[in-house]
Amino acid sequence: MPDRRDTAIKLMEHQKFAEAIPFFLSLINSTPHDWSLFYMVGQCYRYTNNALEATRVLKRAAELKPDEAEVFLALGIAYQLDEDYKSAIVALEEAVYLEPQMYSAYNSLGLTYKLSGEFHKALEWYSRADKGIVSAVTHEVQKDREKCFRDEVIEGKKTRVILDYMFEKIHEILRSDPMYAIIKNNIGVCLIELGDINGAQEQFRESIEFIPDDYNYPAPYENLESIS
């Protein structure tokens, strides 16, 4: 028979969060120093819209595992849902400090500032995510230098030419994950609030371009239509 931990995790994986909570709480009673249990039950509380309990147990997870970025991301989101935006920002910035390429934390920081009405700060974090994602993907693609570059002599000077492969591969990778499309849409939303309608339209169009196949994401279509 599966043990209680396996049962709890399977319930969580099948999105039966309310059913998983009692199993996790029982496990915590017997192993109170296992940070992962607090983290998982915190996620269950979050998905059952119990932000208060989520923050309580995720704070304990962070105390037990202060070097785990995922814990601080989850804690920040829980604070955000509880409308404690100052605490959310502190937790999410810690997640970014621990894992600088965790762009979901940048996105959550942008949303937190947006919800608190600080649209310039929201745009700053969304833009940092945008640039960071593109930079990371570009760096990865450029590792295959033979496919990305070719040396040619142009007007008597040796010149490094960028090949189409590089742009096509970057586009392919950015379009393989919804995060980039989500970030571009969120930038557009902030630009609307800041009065830059043309800039917002450009961001929504780019978001639409990068939505992965079979990913249901109507937001940029709806936002673009609302300002067209």
Side-chain angles (χ1 to χ4, degrees), residues 188-204:
V189 171
C190 284
L191 290 175
I192 290 175
E193 295 292 341
L194 296 171
D196 185 356
I197 301 303
N198 290 336
Q201 289 174 328
E202 181 180 340
Q203 294 296 319
F204 293 141

Side-chain angles (χ1 to χ4, degrees), residues 2-23:
D3 62 21
R4 288 179 297 164
R5 187 186 183 96
D6 287 341
T7 299
I9 291 172
K10 286 181 180 178
L11 286 169
M12 189 177 178
E13 289 174 344
H14 287 86
Q15 300 185 15
K16 297 181 178 181
F17 302 112
E19 295 178 39
I21 289 172
F23 286 94

Side-chain angles (χ1 to χ4, degrees), residues 6-201:
D6 287 341
T7 299
I9 291 172
K10 286 181 180 178
L11 286 169
M12 189 177 178
E13 289 174 344
H14 287 86
Q15 300 185 15
K16 297 181 178 181
F17 302 112
E19 295 178 39
I21 289 172
F23 286 94
F24 282 123
L25 294 179
S26 175
L27 288 162
I28 286 171
N29 285 333
S30 58
T31 51
H33 299 294
D34 185 339
W35 70 271
S36 66
L37 295 174
F38 287 93
Y39 170 71
M40 288 186 285
V41 77
Q43 294 289 62
C44 289
Y45 279 127
R46 168 191 162 192
Y47 287 115
T48 53
N49 298 314
N50 191 338
L52 186 62
E53 281 300 298
T55 55
R56 182 182 68 81
V57 295
L58 288 168
K59 282 171 64 178
R60 182 57 181 154
E63 291 169 358
L64 292 168
K65 188 67 172 175
D67 60 348
E68 182 58 54
E70 287 286 353
V71 170
F72 285 95
L73 173 61
L75 178 58
I77 292 171
Y79 275 129
Q80 182 194 96
L81 294 172
D82 201 33
E83 299 183 1
D84 184 351
Y85 300 132
K86 289 184 179 180
S87 297
I89 289 166
V90 171
L92 292 167
E93 286 184 343
E94 183 65 18
V96 170
Y97 172 78
L98 291 168
E99 180 47 73
Q101 289 192 328
M102 181 178 276
Y103 297 114
S104 54
Y106 289 64
N107 184 56
S108 290
L109 273 162
L111 176 57
T112 303
Y113 278 114
K114 183 171 80 70
L115 290 170
S116 60
E118 298 182 66
F119 296 106
H120 284 287
K121 290 290 291 184
L123 181 60
E124 176 187 331
W125 279 101
Y126 288 139
S127 297
R128 287 176 66 178
D130 179 1
K131 292 176 183 177
I133 291 170
V134 172
S135 177
V137 170
T138 301
H139 178 75
E140 189 63 30
V141 171
Q142 287 180 345
K143 288 180 179 179
D144 195 343
R145 302 190 69 80
E146 290 185 359
K147 290 185 177 180
C148 292
F149 306 102
R150 181 175 63 242
D151 290 333
E152 296 182 1
V153 177
I154 301 175
E155 297 181 353
K157 294 182 180 180
K158 186 176 180 181
T159 304
R160 176 152 292 181
V161 176
I162 301 174
L163 303 179
D164 290 342
Y165 167 85
M166 190 176 85
F167 300 110
E168 292 167 358
K169 191 64 177 177
I170 290 171
H171 188 282
E172 176 189 329
I173 295 173
L174 290 175
R175 200 169 180 271
S176 68
D177 188 307
M179 179 55 66
Y180 188 67
I182 291 168
I183 291 293
K184 300 303 284 187
N185 174 75
N186 291 343
I187 290 174
V189 171
C190 284
L191 290 175
I192 290 175
E193 295 292 341
L194 296 171
D196 185 356
I197 301 303
N198 290 336
Q201 289 174 328

